[in-house]
Amino acid sequence: MSADPAEPVYRNPVLDADWSDPDVIRVGDDFYLTASSFGRVPGLPLLHSRDLVNWTLVGHALQRLEPESEFAAPRHDCGVWAPSLRHHDGRFWIFWGDPDRGVFQVNAPEIRGPWTRPHLVKAGKGLIDPCPLWDDETGEAYLVHAWAKSRSGVKNRLTGHRMHPHGTELLDEGKVIVDGDRIPGWFTLEGPKLYRHDGWFWIFAPAGGVETGWQGAFRSRAFFGPYEEKVVLEQKDTDVNGPHQGGWVRTPSGEDWFLHFQQRGAYGRVVHLQPMRWGGGGGTSRSSDAESGGGWPVIGDDGAPVAEHRRPDLPPQPPAAPATDDDFPGGRPGRQWQWTANPRDGWATHHSADGLRLTCVRTPDAHDLRALPNVLTQRLPGTPCTVEVDLRLDDGEPGARAGLAVLGDAYSWIGLQRGPDGTVRLVHRFAETVADQERDAAPPRPAPGGRARLRVDIDAGARCRFSYDTGETGDTANTADTGDGAGQGGFRPSGQVFAATPWRWVGALLGLVALAPTGQGHAGTATFTQFRIRIQEKRADR
């Protein structure tokens, strides 16, 4: 949700949706943020802010995932993990780890591009969460990364390399510079961000896992160590579980801030903004805090996350948030949408009017939306909301269908399907996490004219209530009234409440899809119009 600049305080989260593993930089008066995009395309989202509170989505740095053949089908938890965003030598740089391929980078003269194609800096399995550093004091360049045990058999350690100043290759085999197994109580050390501050090398890195972990800071006079460590942010007695993994940024006036994520189940990893200052004592070496030139970072309220705080000392900005609504002008989806794999020509048709015209793609996986590459998705808002879209199923083959989905390890969707006799019916289906195919959530119903307005009401527990309006007249006795507006204006409830679920690392997604069973020839199209997300006021019983 956007923040009112007239208010003297902001409230967390500042990005209330799944902007996973955020990293942030400042260039002049502008702040930029990127986040993990995993297997969705386009990838590497690029967000912009002038006040660290109000953010807009301005583009993506990665138009297709490579190798393209490996991402022709969904790989929901693979692809782009924990990117690092930097600005050096007049260019923007993003490094990320593909856990199956290695460390990649792209760069561009401007945040909106043009961005280079992905360059493989270091090949290898399990190389994740890379972060570069160009040391202006010495002219040297470095890179630190973590390890994914699922691919490499190694975890809980950070490896450092000397890097070519051009950012194209690493100059050594690497050395473990922080071994979490040697720190009592630490596990799953990952997500490092590398900085130079007051003559020290600093690594900000989380540990303890995404749901219950903490944020650590490490410092050393030499890049290759030895490092001492301190916990600088943890849950304490707040309700913000696992506050960690993000980036430090300094404003033009010298204020320090830290952006990090909180894992919220089906909502994914939402982004919080914490005040930060230098001066904390502690650490594990014998060096004095006076020697450190300001001591350790103190994040939040003495190491605990804040729910609200005085706004950063920056010029007031109009309320803003990443876009959600879409009229699809010219048939083009807005930049908030991502496919679940590399898109192919012909999935969406550009035209002169408004509305998203999707081809009913023939597929042997019509029984399972999780296996489809042609699902157009956007993030599930972290605030209770109502999602609506108009759908028209155009002339096509029997079995052609389209609809609105809430997609995760389990999913549910509501939409239209053409029957063997050519008539169109309203259908509502779901699949449990362990199921390999979907089944009906409610009996099919007539949909005169092949049109319907579809709705999902999503509450604070990510419980989803589906409803529909096919424009039928007559008996409305079964029209529901949930207190959120569902059931008004002809909407009728469909099926039982569905609890949204995340993927392993990705929050649940909203999706638009059009498909058809295998066969020959064109299967028809579906047109979506007036996609809207209305944020609800929180009810006392939620």
Side-chain angles (χ1 to χ4, degrees), residues 213-272:
W214 58 90
Q215 180 66 35
F218 300 81
R219 70 182 183 185
S220 175
R221 289 296 188 185
F223 172 70
F224 286 105
Y227 283 84
E228 54 180 321
E229 82 283 341
K230 183 181 179 182
V231 175
V232 293
L233 183 69
E234 56 187 327
Q235 181 172 355
K236 295 190 176 181
D237 60 355
T238 74
D239 60 359
V240 180
N241 61 293
H244 68 257
Q245 189 157 336
W248 161 43
V249 68
R250 175 166 285 180
T251 69
S253 66
E255 288 185 344
D256 294 305
W257 297 86
F258 183 72
L259 284 138
H260 68 91
F261 76 70
Q262 174 200 9
Q263 171 67 33
R264 291 191 56 220
Y267 297 114
R269 302 175 185 181
V270 303
V271 178
H272 292 238

Short mmCIF file of all heavy atoms in Angstrom, two decimals, residues 213-272:
data_model
loop_
_atom_site.label_atom_id
_atom_site.label_comp_id
_atom_site.label_asym_id
_atom_site.label_seq_id
_atom_site.Cartn_x
_atom_site.Cartn_y
_atom_site.Cartn_z
N GLY A 213 14.74 -16.59 11.44
CA GLY A 213 16.13 -16.20 11.52
C GLY A 213 16.37 -14.78 12.00
O GLY A 213 15.46 -14.08 12.46
N TRP A 214 17.63 -14.33 11.86
CA TRP A 214 18.07 -13.04 12.34
C TRP A 214 19.05 -12.45 11.34
O TRP A 214 19.54 -13.12 10.44
CB TRP A 214 18.74 -13.19 13.71
CG TRP A 214 19.90 -14.13 13.70
CD1 TRP A 214 21.22 -13.83 13.47
CD2 TRP A 214 19.87 -15.56 13.92
NE1 TRP A 214 22.00 -14.96 13.52
CE2 TRP A 214 21.20 -16.03 13.80
CE3 TRP A 214 18.84 -16.47 14.21
CZ2 TRP A 214 21.53 -17.39 13.96
CZ3 TRP A 214 19.17 -17.81 14.37
CH2 TRP A 214 20.50 -18.26 14.25
N GLN A 215 19.34 -11.16 11.52
CA GLN A 215 20.28 -10.47 10.66
C GLN A 215 21.61 -10.33 11.39
O GLN A 215 21.67 -9.84 12.51
CB GLN A 215 19.77 -9.08 10.28
CG GLN A 215 20.70 -8.29 9.38
CD GLN A 215 20.87 -8.90 8.00
OE1 GLN A 215 19.93 -9.46 7.46
NE2 GLN A 215 22.06 -8.78 7.43
N GLY A 216 22.68 -10.77 10.72
CA GLY A 216 24.01 -10.63 11.28
C GLY A 216 24.82 -9.60 10.53
O GLY A 216 24.53 -9.26 9.38
N ALA A 217 25.84 -9.07 11.20
CA ALA A 217 26.83 -8.20 10.57
C ALA A 217 28.21 -8.77 10.88
O ALA A 217 28.46 -9.25 11.99
CB ALA A 217 26.71 -6.77 11.06
N PHE A 218 29.10 -8.70 9.90
CA PHE A 218 30.48 -9.19 10.04
C PHE A 218 31.42 -8.08 9.59
O PHE A 218 31.12 -7.35 8.65
CB PHE A 218 30.71 -10.42 9.16
CG PHE A 218 29.81 -11.59 9.47
CD1 PHE A 218 28.50 -11.63 8.99
CD2 PHE A 218 30.26 -12.64 10.26
CE1 PHE A 218 27.67 -12.70 9.29
CE2 PHE A 218 29.45 -13.70 10.56
CZ PHE A 218 28.14 -13.74 10.07
N ARG A 219 32.58 -7.97 10.27
CA ARG A 219 33.53 -6.95 9.88
C ARG A 219 34.96 -7.49 9.96
O ARG A 219 35.29 -8.36 10.76
CB ARG A 219 33.39 -5.70 10.74
CG ARG A 219 33.84 -5.88 12.18
CD ARG A 219 33.63 -4.61 12.99
NE ARG A 219 34.12 -4.77 14.36
CZ ARG A 219 33.98 -3.87 15.31
NH1 ARG A 219 33.34 -2.74 15.07
NH2 ARG A 219 34.46 -4.09 16.53
N SER A 220 35.82 -6.93 9.08
CA SER A 220 37.23 -7.30 9.05
C SER A 220 38.01 -6.17 8.41
O SER A 220 37.49 -5.44 7.56
CB SER A 220 37.43 -8.59 8.25
OG SER A 220 38.81 -8.89 8.12
N ARG A 221 39.27 -6.04 8.81
CA ARG A 221 40.15 -5.06 8.18
C ARG A 221 40.62 -5.51 6.81
O ARG A 221 41.03 -4.70 5.98
CB ARG A 221 41.36 -4.80 9.07
CG ARG A 221 41.06 -4.02 10.34
CD ARG A 221 40.56 -2.63 10.02
NE ARG A 221 40.44 -1.79 11.21
CZ ARG A 221 39.95 -0.58 11.22
NH1 ARG A 221 39.51 -0.04 10.08
NH2 ARG A 221 39.87 0.12 12.33
N ALA A 222 40.58 -6.82 6.56
CA ALA A 222 40.99 -7.38 5.27
C ALA A 222 39.84 -8.18 4.68
O ALA A 222 39.10 -8.85 5.42
CB ALA A 222 42.22 -8.27 5.44
N PHE A 223 39.69 -8.13 3.36
CA PHE A 223 38.55 -8.80 2.75
C PHE A 223 38.50 -10.29 3.09
O PHE A 223 37.44 -10.84 3.37
CB PHE A 223 38.57 -8.62 1.23
CG PHE A 223 37.53 -9.45 0.52
CD1 PHE A 223 36.18 -9.16 0.63
CD2 PHE A 223 37.90 -10.57 -0.23
CE1 PHE A 223 35.22 -9.93 0.01
CE2 PHE A 223 36.95 -11.35 -0.86
CZ PHE A 223 35.60 -11.03 -0.74
N PHE A 224 39.63 -10.96 3.07
CA PHE A 224 39.64 -12.39 3.30
C PHE A 224 39.65 -12.76 4.80
O PHE A 224 39.80 -13.91 5.15
CB PHE A 224 40.83 -13.04 2.58
CG PHE A 224 40.62 -13.11 1.08
CD1 PHE A 224 41.29 -12.24 0.24
CD2 PHE A 224 39.75 -14.04 0.53
CE1 PHE A 224 41.09 -12.30 -1.15
CE2 PHE A 224 39.55 -14.10 -0.84
CZ PHE A 224 40.23 -13.23 -1.68
N GLY A 225 39.47 -11.76 5.66
CA GLY A 225 39.28 -12.03 7.07
C GLY A 225 40.56 -11.92 7.89
O GLY A 225 41.60 -11.49 7.38
N PRO A 226 40.46 -12.27 9.18
CA PRO A 226 39.30 -12.89 9.84
C PRO A 226 38.20 -11.88 10.16
O PRO A 226 38.47 -10.69 10.36
CB PRO A 226 39.91 -13.44 11.13
CG PRO A 226 41.05 -12.50 11.42
CD PRO A 226 41.61 -12.12 10.08
N TYR A 227 36.94 -12.39 10.23
CA TYR A 227 35.78 -11.57 10.52
C TYR A 227 35.27 -11.85 11.93
O TYR A 227 35.34 -12.98 12.42
CB TYR A 227 34.65 -11.87 9.52
CG TYR A 227 34.86 -11.25 8.17
CD1 TYR A 227 35.65 -11.87 7.21
CD2 TYR A 227 34.27 -10.03 7.85
CE1 TYR A 227 35.84 -11.30 5.95
CE2 TYR A 227 34.45 -9.45 6.60
CZ TYR A 227 35.24 -10.10 5.65
OH TYR A 227 35.42 -9.52 4.41
N GLU A 228 34.76 -10.82 12.56
CA GLU A 228 34.01 -10.97 13.79
C GLU A 228 32.55 -10.69 13.48
O GLU A 228 32.23 -10.03 12.48
CB GLU A 228 34.52 -10.02 14.87
CG GLU A 228 34.56 -8.56 14.45
CD GLU A 228 35.07 -7.65 15.54
OE1 GLU A 228 34.73 -7.89 16.71
OE2 GLU A 228 35.80 -6.70 15.24
N GLU A 229 31.65 -11.17 14.32
CA GLU A 229 30.22 -11.12 14.00
C GLU A 229 29.40 -10.59 15.16
O GLU A 229 29.84 -10.58 16.32
CB GLU A 229 29.71 -12.50 13.60
CG GLU A 229 29.35 -13.42 14.75
CD GLU A 229 30.54 -14.04 15.42
OE1 GLU A 229 31.65 -14.06 14.82
OE2 GLU A 229 30.39 -14.50 16.58
N LYS A 230 28.20 -10.13 14.81
CA LYS A 230 27.24 -9.69 15.80
C LYS A 230 25.84 -9.80 15.21
O LYS A 230 25.63 -9.51 14.03
CB LYS A 230 27.51 -8.23 16.21
CG LYS A 230 26.57 -7.73 17.31
CD LYS A 230 26.85 -6.27 17.65
CE LYS A 230 25.89 -5.79 18.74
NZ LYS A 230 26.08 -4.36 19.07
N VAL A 231 24.87 -10.21 16.03
CA VAL A 231 23.46 -10.17 15.63
C VAL A 231 22.98 -8.72 15.77
O VAL A 231 23.09 -8.13 16.85
CB VAL A 231 22.60 -11.10 16.50
CG1 VAL A 231 21.12 -10.95 16.15
CG2 VAL A 231 23.05 -12.55 16.32
N VAL A 232 22.44 -8.15 14.68
CA VAL A 232 22.06 -6.74 14.70
C VAL A 232 20.56 -6.52 14.51
O VAL A 232 20.08 -5.39 14.62
CB VAL A 232 22.84 -5.95 13.63
CG1 VAL A 232 24.32 -5.90 13.99
CG2 VAL A 232 22.65 -6.55 12.24
N LEU A 233 19.79 -7.58 14.22
CA LEU A 233 18.34 -7.46 14.11
C LEU A 233 17.74 -8.83 14.33
O LEU A 233 18.16 -9.81 13.71
CB LEU A 233 17.94 -6.93 12.72
CG LEU A 233 16.44 -6.68 12.50
CD1 LEU A 233 15.94 -5.50 13.33
CD2 LEU A 233 16.15 -6.44 11.01
N GLU A 234 16.73 -8.91 15.21
CA GLU A 234 16.04 -10.17 15.47
C GLU A 234 14.64 -9.87 15.99
O GLU A 234 14.31 -8.72 16.34
CB GLU A 234 16.82 -11.03 16.46
CG GLU A 234 17.12 -10.36 17.79
CD GLU A 234 18.03 -11.19 18.66
OE1 GLU A 234 17.94 -12.43 18.58
OE2 GLU A 234 18.84 -10.60 19.41
N GLN A 235 13.81 -10.88 16.06
CA GLN A 235 12.39 -10.68 16.37
C GLN A 235 12.17 -10.10 17.76
O GLN A 235 11.31 -9.23 17.94
CB GLN A 235 11.62 -12.00 16.24
CG GLN A 235 10.13 -11.84 16.53
CD GLN A 235 9.33 -13.09 16.22
OE1 GLN A 235 9.86 -14.06 15.70
NE2 GLN A 235 8.06 -13.07 16.55
N LYS A 236 12.89 -10.58 18.75
CA LYS A 236 12.70 -10.19 20.15
C LYS A 236 11.22 -10.36 20.52
O LYS A 236 10.63 -11.41 20.26
CB LYS A 236 13.23 -8.79 20.40
CG LYS A 236 14.76 -8.70 20.21
CD LYS A 236 15.34 -7.40 20.68
CE LYS A 236 16.87 -7.42 20.57
NZ LYS A 236 17.49 -6.19 21.05
N ASP A 237 10.59 -9.33 21.12
CA ASP A 237 9.20 -9.49 21.56
C ASP A 237 8.21 -8.88 20.59
O ASP A 237 7.07 -8.57 20.94
CB ASP A 237 9.01 -8.87 22.95
CG ASP A 237 9.33 -7.38 22.99
OD1 ASP A 237 9.79 -6.83 21.95
OD2 ASP A 237 9.11 -6.74 24.04
N THR A 238 8.61 -8.71 19.32
CA THR A 238 7.70 -8.18 18.30
C THR A 238 6.98 -9.33 17.61
O THR A 238 7.26 -10.51 17.84
CB THR A 238 8.47 -7.37 17.25
OG1 THR A 238 9.20 -8.28 16.39
CG2 THR A 238 9.46 -6.42 17.91
N ASP A 239 6.04 -8.99 16.72
CA ASP A 239 5.35 -10.02 15.94
C ASP A 239 5.93 -10.15 14.53
O ASP A 239 5.31 -10.75 13.66
CB ASP A 239 3.85 -9.72 15.86
CG ASP A 239 3.53 -8.38 15.21
OD1 ASP A 239 4.49 -7.66 14.83
OD2 ASP A 239 2.35 -8.03 15.10
N VAL A 240 7.12 -9.59 14.31
CA VAL A 240 7.79 -9.68 13.00
C VAL A 240 8.75 -10.86 13.05
O VAL A 240 9.87 -10.75 13.57
CB VAL A 240 8.53 -8.38 12.65
CG1 VAL A 240 9.21 -8.50 11.29
CG2 VAL A 240 7.56 -7.19 12.65
N ASN A 241 8.31 -12.00 12.54
CA ASN A 241 9.15 -13.20 12.56
C ASN A 241 10.27 -13.09 11.53
O ASN A 241 10.10 -12.53 10.45
CB ASN A 241 8.30 -14.44 12.27
CG ASN A 241 7.66 -14.38 10.91
OD1 ASN A 241 6.79 -13.55 10.66
ND2 ASN A 241 8.07 -15.26 10.00
N GLY A 242 11.42 -13.64 11.89
CA GLY A 242 12.54 -13.76 10.96
C GLY A 242 12.92 -12.49 10.24
O GLY A 242 13.11 -12.53 9.01
N PRO A 243 13.08 -11.35 10.92
CA PRO A 243 13.40 -10.11 10.18
C PRO A 243 14.85 -10.11 9.71
O PRO A 243 15.77 -9.93 10.49
CB PRO A 243 13.16 -9.02 11.24
CG PRO A 243 13.48 -9.70 12.54
CD PRO A 243 13.05 -11.13 12.37
N HIS A 244 15.07 -10.30 8.41
CA HIS A 244 16.45 -10.34 7.93
C HIS A 244 16.52 -10.35 6.41
O HIS A 244 15.50 -10.41 5.74
CB HIS A 244 17.19 -11.55 8.49
CG HIS A 244 16.72 -12.88 7.99
ND1 HIS A 244 15.92 -13.70 8.73
CD2 HIS A 244 16.93 -13.53 6.83
CE1 HIS A 244 15.67 -14.82 8.05
NE2 HIS A 244 16.27 -14.73 6.88
N GLN A 245 17.71 -10.33 5.90
CA GLN A 245 18.12 -10.36 4.49
C GLN A 245 17.62 -9.15 3.73
O GLN A 245 16.47 -9.08 3.33
CB GLN A 245 17.70 -11.64 3.78
CG GLN A 245 18.34 -11.72 2.39
CD GLN A 245 18.44 -13.14 1.85
OE1 GLN A 245 18.45 -14.09 2.60
NE2 GLN A 245 18.53 -13.26 0.55
N GLY A 246 18.54 -8.24 3.54
CA GLY A 246 18.20 -7.03 2.80
C GLY A 246 19.43 -6.20 2.55
O GLY A 246 20.55 -6.71 2.49
N GLY A 247 19.22 -4.87 2.43
CA GLY A 247 20.32 -3.99 2.07
C GLY A 247 20.34 -2.72 2.90
O GLY A 247 19.29 -2.23 3.34
N TRP A 248 21.56 -2.20 3.09
CA TRP A 248 21.78 -0.93 3.79
C TRP A 248 21.90 0.18 2.76
O TRP A 248 22.54 0.01 1.72
CB TRP A 248 23.05 -1.04 4.63
CG TRP A 248 23.66 0.27 5.05
CD1 TRP A 248 23.01 1.37 5.52
CD2 TRP A 248 25.05 0.61 5.01
NE1 TRP A 248 23.91 2.37 5.80
CE2 TRP A 248 25.17 1.94 5.51
CE3 TRP A 248 26.21 -0.07 4.65
CZ2 TRP A 248 26.39 2.59 5.62
CZ3 TRP A 248 27.43 0.57 4.76
CH2 TRP A 248 27.51 1.89 5.24
N VAL A 249 21.30 1.34 3.07
CA VAL A 249 21.40 2.49 2.17
C VAL A 249 21.49 3.76 3.02
O VAL A 249 20.93 3.84 4.11
CB VAL A 249 20.18 2.54 1.21
CG1 VAL A 249 18.89 2.87 1.95
CG2 VAL A 249 20.42 3.52 0.08
N ARG A 250 22.23 4.75 2.51
CA ARG A 250 22.41 6.03 3.21
C ARG A 250 21.78 7.14 2.38
O ARG A 250 21.97 7.20 1.15
CB ARG A 250 23.89 6.29 3.45
CG ARG A 250 24.20 7.65 4.07
CD ARG A 250 25.65 7.70 4.58
NE ARG A 250 25.79 6.94 5.83
CZ ARG A 250 26.96 6.81 6.48
NH1 ARG A 250 28.05 7.38 5.99
NH2 ARG A 250 27.01 6.13 7.60
N THR A 251 21.03 8.03 3.02
CA THR A 251 20.39 9.14 2.33
C THR A 251 21.38 10.28 2.11
O THR A 251 22.47 10.30 2.71
CB THR A 251 19.19 9.67 3.14
OG1 THR A 251 19.70 10.32 4.32
CG2 THR A 251 18.26 8.55 3.56
N PRO A 252 21.03 11.26 1.27
CA PRO A 252 21.94 12.39 1.04
C PRO A 252 22.28 13.15 2.32
O PRO A 252 23.37 13.73 2.43
CB PRO A 252 21.17 13.28 0.05
CG PRO A 252 20.30 12.32 -0.69
CD PRO A 252 19.88 11.30 0.32
N SER A 253 21.37 13.17 3.29
CA SER A 253 21.63 13.89 4.54
C SER A 253 22.43 13.07 5.54
O SER A 253 22.74 13.55 6.63
CB SER A 253 20.32 14.34 5.18
OG SER A 253 19.55 13.21 5.60
N GLY A 254 22.74 11.81 5.21
CA GLY A 254 23.56 10.99 6.07
C GLY A 254 22.81 10.02 6.96
O GLY A 254 23.42 9.33 7.78
N GLU A 255 21.49 9.92 6.80
CA GLU A 255 20.73 8.93 7.55
C GLU A 255 20.97 7.54 6.98
O GLU A 255 21.12 7.38 5.75
CB GLU A 255 19.22 9.22 7.50
CG GLU A 255 18.78 10.40 8.32
CD GLU A 255 17.27 10.55 8.32
OE1 GLU A 255 16.60 9.92 7.46
OE2 GLU A 255 16.76 11.28 9.16
N ASP A 256 20.98 6.54 7.85
CA ASP A 256 21.15 5.16 7.42
C ASP A 256 19.85 4.39 7.63
O ASP A 256 19.16 4.57 8.65
CB ASP A 256 22.27 4.49 8.23
CG ASP A 256 23.62 5.09 7.94
OD1 ASP A 256 24.01 5.14 6.75
OD2 ASP A 256 24.29 5.55 8.89
N TRP A 257 19.53 3.52 6.66
CA TRP A 257 18.30 2.73 6.69
C TRP A 257 18.60 1.33 6.18
O TRP A 257 19.54 1.12 5.40
CB TRP A 257 17.21 3.38 5.83
CG TRP A 257 16.81 4.73 6.36
CD1 TRP A 257 17.41 5.93 6.08
CD2 TRP A 257 15.75 5.01 7.27
NE1 TRP A 257 16.78 6.94 6.75
CE2 TRP A 257 15.76 6.41 7.49
CE3 TRP A 257 14.78 4.23 7.90
CZ2 TRP A 257 14.83 7.03 8.33
CZ3 TRP A 257 13.86 4.84 8.74
CH2 TRP A 257 13.89 6.22 8.96
N PHE A 258 17.78 0.39 6.62
CA PHE A 258 17.96 -1.01 6.22
C PHE A 258 16.61 -1.56 5.78
O PHE A 258 15.61 -1.47 6.51
CB PHE A 258 18.49 -1.82 7.42
CG PHE A 258 18.77 -3.27 7.11
CD1 PHE A 258 19.85 -3.62 6.33
CD2 PHE A 258 17.95 -4.27 7.62
CE1 PHE A 258 20.13 -4.95 6.05
CE2 PHE A 258 18.21 -5.60 7.36
CZ PHE A 258 19.30 -5.95 6.57
N LEU A 259 16.56 -2.10 4.57
CA LEU A 259 15.36 -2.74 4.03
C LEU A 259 15.56 -4.24 4.07
O LEU A 259 16.59 -4.75 3.62
CB LEU A 259 15.09 -2.27 2.60
CG LEU A 259 14.50 -0.86 2.48
CD1 LEU A 259 15.15 -0.10 1.37
CD2 LEU A 259 12.99 -0.94 2.28
N HIS A 260 14.57 -4.97 4.57
CA HIS A 260 14.70 -6.42 4.74
C HIS A 260 13.33 -7.06 4.53
O HIS A 260 12.30 -6.38 4.40
CB HIS A 260 15.20 -6.74 6.15
CG HIS A 260 14.21 -6.42 7.23
ND1 HIS A 260 13.28 -7.32 7.70
CD2 HIS A 260 14.00 -5.29 7.93
CE1 HIS A 260 12.55 -6.75 8.64
NE2 HIS A 260 12.96 -5.51 8.80
N PHE A 261 13.31 -8.40 4.51
CA PHE A 261 12.02 -9.08 4.32
C PHE A 261 11.55 -9.75 5.60
O PHE A 261 12.31 -9.98 6.55
CB PHE A 261 12.05 -10.06 3.16
CG PHE A 261 12.76 -11.37 3.40
CD1 PHE A 261 12.24 -12.34 4.26
CD2 PHE A 261 13.93 -11.69 2.72
CE1 PHE A 261 12.87 -13.55 4.45
CE2 PHE A 261 14.57 -12.91 2.91
CZ PHE A 261 14.04 -13.84 3.79
N GLN A 262 10.25 -10.06 5.60
CA GLN A 262 9.61 -10.90 6.61
C GLN A 262 8.81 -11.96 5.87
O GLN A 262 7.99 -11.63 5.00
CB GLN A 262 8.69 -10.09 7.51
CG GLN A 262 7.88 -10.95 8.49
CD GLN A 262 6.65 -10.25 9.04
OE1 GLN A 262 6.28 -9.16 8.56
NE2 GLN A 262 6.00 -10.84 10.02
N GLN A 263 9.02 -13.23 6.18
CA GLN A 263 8.29 -14.32 5.54
C GLN A 263 6.88 -14.41 6.11
O GLN A 263 6.71 -14.59 7.32
CB GLN A 263 9.03 -15.64 5.74
CG GLN A 263 8.25 -16.88 5.30
CD GLN A 263 8.04 -16.94 3.80
OE1 GLN A 263 8.89 -16.49 3.06
NE2 GLN A 263 6.92 -17.49 3.38
N ARG A 264 5.85 -14.29 5.25
CA ARG A 264 4.46 -14.31 5.71
C ARG A 264 3.63 -15.36 4.97
O ARG A 264 2.55 -15.10 4.48
CB ARG A 264 3.82 -12.93 5.54
CG ARG A 264 4.38 -11.86 6.49
CD ARG A 264 3.53 -10.61 6.46
NE ARG A 264 2.14 -10.93 6.78
CZ ARG A 264 1.09 -10.38 6.16
NH1 ARG A 264 1.27 -9.52 5.17
NH2 ARG A 264 -0.14 -10.71 6.51
N GLY A 265 4.15 -16.59 4.92
CA GLY A 265 3.37 -17.70 4.38
C GLY A 265 2.96 -17.47 2.94
O GLY A 265 3.79 -17.19 2.07
N ALA A 266 1.67 -17.58 2.69
CA ALA A 266 1.15 -17.45 1.32
C ALA A 266 1.42 -16.08 0.72
O ALA A 266 1.44 -15.92 -0.50
CB ALA A 266 -0.35 -17.73 1.30
N TYR A 267 1.63 -15.07 1.56
CA TYR A 267 1.90 -13.73 1.05
C TYR A 267 3.35 -13.55 0.64
O TYR A 267 3.72 -12.53 0.07
CB TYR A 267 1.54 -12.68 2.10
CG TYR A 267 0.07 -12.68 2.44
CD1 TYR A 267 -0.37 -13.04 3.70
CD2 TYR A 267 -0.88 -12.31 1.50
CE1 TYR A 267 -1.71 -13.04 4.02
CE2 TYR A 267 -2.23 -12.31 1.80
CZ TYR A 267 -2.64 -12.68 3.07
OH TYR A 267 -3.98 -12.69 3.37
N GLY A 268 4.20 -14.52 0.93
CA GLY A 268 5.59 -14.44 0.54
C GLY A 268 6.39 -13.56 1.48
O GLY A 268 6.09 -13.43 2.67
N ARG A 269 7.42 -12.91 0.93
CA ARG A 269 8.38 -12.13 1.72
C ARG A 269 8.12 -10.65 1.51
O ARG A 269 8.50 -10.07 0.49
CB ARG A 269 9.80 -12.51 1.32
CG ARG A 269 10.08 -14.00 1.51
CD ARG A 269 11.46 -14.40 1.00
NE ARG A 269 11.64 -15.84 1.08
CZ ARG A 269 12.75 -16.48 0.73
NH1 ARG A 269 13.78 -15.79 0.27
NH2 ARG A 269 12.83 -17.80 0.82
N VAL A 270 7.46 -10.04 2.49
CA VAL A 270 7.12 -8.62 2.42
C VAL A 270 8.30 -7.81 2.93
O VAL A 270 9.14 -8.30 3.68
CB VAL A 270 5.83 -8.32 3.20
CG1 VAL A 270 4.68 -9.18 2.69
CG2 VAL A 270 6.02 -8.53 4.71
N VAL A 271 8.36 -6.52 2.55
CA VAL A 271 9.55 -5.70 2.78
C VAL A 271 9.29 -4.65 3.85
O VAL A 271 8.32 -3.89 3.76
CB VAL A 271 10.01 -5.04 1.47
CG1 VAL A 271 11.23 -4.15 1.73
CG2 VAL A 271 10.34 -6.11 0.43
N HIS A 272 10.19 -4.62 4.85
CA HIS A 272 10.15 -3.64 5.94
C HIS A 272 11.31 -2.67 5.81
O HIS A 272 12.38 -3.02 5.32
CB HIS A 272 10.25 -4.34 7.29
CG HIS A 272 9.07 -5.18 7.66
ND1 HIS A 272 8.35 -4.98 8.82
CD2 HIS A 272 8.48 -6.23 7.04
CE1 HIS A 272 7.37 -5.86 8.90
NE2 HIS A 272 7.43 -6.64 7.82
#
